[in-house]
Amino acid sequence: MLSYIYTAKYEDLSDAAEHDLDSDPPVQAIEPVIDVEPSSMNAATRISDDEPETTEGPAAADVDTATPSQKATGDLIEQALKNNVLVYAVADKYHIPLLKDLAQVKFTARARHVWPPAGLPGILRLVYETTPDNDQGLRMVVAELCTQHLPELISAKDFGDSLLALCPLSVDMLRTLCSTYVTERNAAAAEGQSLRAQVEDLQVKLKYANKSLADVKTIIQKTSNCRHCGDVFKPTFEDFETAKVPVVRCSGCRTRHYL
C-alpha cells in the first residue's frame, strides 16, 4: 500500500515471483503480497471461516498430468488474482477509487489470459464475499468471463458447485447472457434493416435496367439505317449504366438515335 501512495502503482506479485512466472523452472507459490483479515470487513462482506477455501478448479482438474512447473505457475497466477481481489476490497473499504480501478484492471488483464485459472471456485468465492451486492466491478468481470467460457466450465463439478453456492454469480451470469442476447438481437435487427434497404435499392436499379434494355431494344428494332449517314445501322452505347435515358449512337458517324 505504501508503494501505491508514492507511485500510484502496486505489484500483485513480488519481483522474484513475477520473474518465476515468466521462467521455465518450477517455482513455489508465494504468500499474498496484501492480505485482508476477515475481521476487518463488515458482516455483509466478511469471508466465511466455516468453509475451507477450495484451491482446485477446472483448469487444475488434470493434476496428475500437470508438470511441477505448470502447477507452480498456476499457483502463482491464482495468488496474483486473489491479491488483486483483496486490493480491490481494501480500496473499496477505504474509499480509494483510483486504487480500486487499478486493481480491477490488473485482475482483468491477468484473468483474460488464463481463464479459467487454477483455484477458480476459491477465486469466485473471494470476489463475491469481499464485494457488496451493489458493487458490479469485479463481479461483472468474473461473470462475463464465466459466461464466455461456459461451454468448457459447465461440465466441471466444482464450477457447478460454485454456481449453487454463489447465487449472485448465477444471477450476474444470467444478466450477462441476457445483455449479450439483446445486443446481438439489436445488431441483427439493424443488419436486417440495412439489408432490406439494399434490396429495395437493387429492385429500383433492376427496374430501371429493364426499362433501359427495353428502350434500347425498341431503338434497334425500328432503325434499319442511320438517319444521318444512311449506312446500315450498327449501334454503339454510351453511359448505359449511369444515364437516365440510354444513349444509342451510330457506330459510323456517331449520330444519336432516340425512341
Side-chain angles (χ1 to χ4, degrees):
M1 291 298 291
L2 288 175
S3 171
Y4 175 78
I5 293 173
Y6 287 104
T7 66
K9 296 185 295 184
Y10 76 89
E11 299 301 328
D12 50 12
L13 289 177
S14 68
D15 291 341
E18 194 71 56
H19 177 269
D20 288 337
L21 190 59
D22 295 332
S23 63
D24 291 329
V27 292
Q28 296 299 319
I30 62 166
E31 293 300 317
V33 174
I34 293 181
D35 200 0
V36 177
E37 290 297 330
S39 58
S40 68
M41 300 178 188
N42 59 37
T45 60
R46 189 173 301 163
I47 300 176
S48 174
D49 290 329
D50 35 356
E51 290 185 13
E53 185 173 351
T54 305
T55 55
E56 294 183 359
D62 254 352
V63 240
D64 293 335
T65 61
T67 66
S69 177
Q70 289 171 334
K71 288 184 64 178
T73 297
D75 289 343
L76 282 175
I77 292 172
E78 177 187 356
Q79 191 61 70
L81 290 171
K82 288 181 175 180
N83 285 341
N84 287 315
V85 175
L86 295 174
V87 171
Y88 186 91
V90 169
D92 181 65
K93 179 178 177 64
Y94 294 104
H95 307 290
I96 314 174
L98 292 179
L99 179 58
K100 185 177 173 182
D101 291 344
L102 179 60
Q104 180 174 331
V105 167
K106 291 172 78 69
F107 178 93
T108 305
R110 282 201 188 273
R112 287 193 187 282
H113 287 291
V114 297
W115 204 267
L120 177 61
I123 293 170
L124 294 176
R125 187 166 67 246
L126 187 63
V127 168
Y128 276 83
E129 290 181 346
T130 60
T131 55
D133 291 339
N134 63 353
D135 188 318
Q136 294 296 294
L138 279 187
R139 288 190 175 201
M140 290 313 298
V141 171
V142 297
E144 288 172 7
L145 287 169
C146 287
T147 303
Q148 290 169 10
H149 294 268
L150 190 56
E152 61 199 88
L153 288 172
I154 202 63
S155 58
K157 181 182 181 302
D158 48 8
F159 180 71
D161 292 342
S162 295
L163 288 180
L164 291 174
L166 298 171
C167 293
L169 172 61
S170 305
V171 172
D172 287 341
M173 288 180 64
L174 185 59
R175 285 196 185 112
T176 302
L177 283 171
C178 290
S179 174
T180 302
Y181 166 75
V182 169
T183 301
E184 291 178 352
R185 183 191 63 185
N186 292 344
E191 185 178 359
Q193 187 174 359
S194 173
L195 289 173
R196 280 193 295 273
Q198 292 178 42
V199 168
E200 290 173 2
D201 184 54
L202 288 173
Q203 287 174 336
V204 171
K205 289 181 178 179
L206 179 61
K207 183 178 178 181
Y208 166 71
N210 287 334
K211 174 68 168 55
S212 298
L213 188 61
D215 291 347
V216 168
K217 186 177 179 181
T218 302
I219 293 174
I220 294 174
Q221 286 176 342
K222 77 171 189 178
T223 308
S224 54
N225 297 87
C226 174
R227 62 185 175 84
H228 178 72
C229 65
D231 291 343
V232 174
F233 184 59
K234 296 179 181 179
T236 186
F237 311 102
E238 293 180 3
D239 303 327
F240 185 80
E241 294 183 357
T242 56
K244 291 184 178 179
V245 179
V247 177
V248 183
R249 297 183 184 275
C250 170
S251 58
C253 67
R254 307 292 300 167
T255 298
R256 181 172 181 178
H257 287 251
Y258 300 90
L259 282 173

